């Protein structure tokens, strides 16, 4: 395989290209790992921390083998950059409202996942409103 072909096609180690079986195993492994990382990243997006980094990492893993993932990664990077550029141009009020909406999403998901009742139980607090409707 020439370097020109490698740049345009999937990025895989030489041992994975030895025969169709190793190529299929490699492709399946990349698909499974990339999808798992991508799903974890999507779950982490509203939380403080590296949610978007994990999403882009999952897409980058998938993009090593799949052309569709490479296109989505390029598109997503562009949209993320456009969003952050737009947010930088907004007033302090708009930035605060975006922050408040994000915080509301985090609090709602923590409540739905029963995190408040769990932590309250550690301290002997058993208020009914702390419990998630999903875990009753």
């Amino acid at each position: 395989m020439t370097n020109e072909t490698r740049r345009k096609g999937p990025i895989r180690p030489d041992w994975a290209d030895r025969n169709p079986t190793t190529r299929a195993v490699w492709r399946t492994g990349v698909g499974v790992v990339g999808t798992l990382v991508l799903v974890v990243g999507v779950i982490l997006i509203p939380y403080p921390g590296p949610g978007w980094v994990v999403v882009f990492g999952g897409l980058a893993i998938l993009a090593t083998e799949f052309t569709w993932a490479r296109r989505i990664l390029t598109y997503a990077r562009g949209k993320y950059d456009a969003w952050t550029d737009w947010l930088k141009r907004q007033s302090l009020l708009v930035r605060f409202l975006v922050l408040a909406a994000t915080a509301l999403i985090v609090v709602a998901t923590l409540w739905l996942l029963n995190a408040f009742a769990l932590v309250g139980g550690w301290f002997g607090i058993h208020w009914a409103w702390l419990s998630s409707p999903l875990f009753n």
Side-chain angles (χ1 to χ4, degrees):
M1 184 181 285
T2 66
N3 285 339
E4 186 64 29
T5 307
R6 281 184 89 77
R7 272 188 240 121
K8 290 182 180 179
I11 303 167
R12 71 174 67 97
D14 290 334
W15 64 264
D17 258 346
R18 287 185 191 147
N19 60 51
T21 303
T22 57
R23 191 173 15 260
V25 169
W26 174 261
R27 194 169 168 90
T28 302
V30 167
V32 168
V33 171
T35 301
L36 287 174
V37 171
L38 182 64
V39 167
V40 168
V42 169
I43 292 169
L44 292 176
I45 286 173
Y47 297 97
W52 281 109
V53 173
V54 176
V55 167
F56 289 131
L59 281 172
I61 290 169
L62 290 168
T64 63
E65 192 61 35
F66 302 102
T67 306
W68 60 265
R70 200 170 305 129
R71 285 193 306 264
I72 291 173
L73 179 60
T74 303
Y75 177 80
R77 280 182 186 162
K79 290 299 179 184
Y80 180 79
D81 289 343
W83 164 255
T84 55
D85 290 343
W86 176 84
L87 198 56
K88 287 176 188 175
R89 293 189 307 267
Q90 300 309 306
S91 68
L92 192 58
L93 176 64
V94 172
R95 290 182 194 180
F96 177 76
L97 288 174
V98 169
L99 178 66
T102 303
L104 183 63
I105 290 169
V106 169
V107 168
T109 55
L110 287 173
W111 176 66
L112 285 173
L113 293 174
N114 213 32
F116 296 132
L118 176 69
V119 173
W122 296 343
F123 297 99
I125 301 170
H126 299 287
W127 297 331
W129 61 271
L130 289 176
S131 296
S132 167
L134 301 178
F135 293 94
N136 281 335

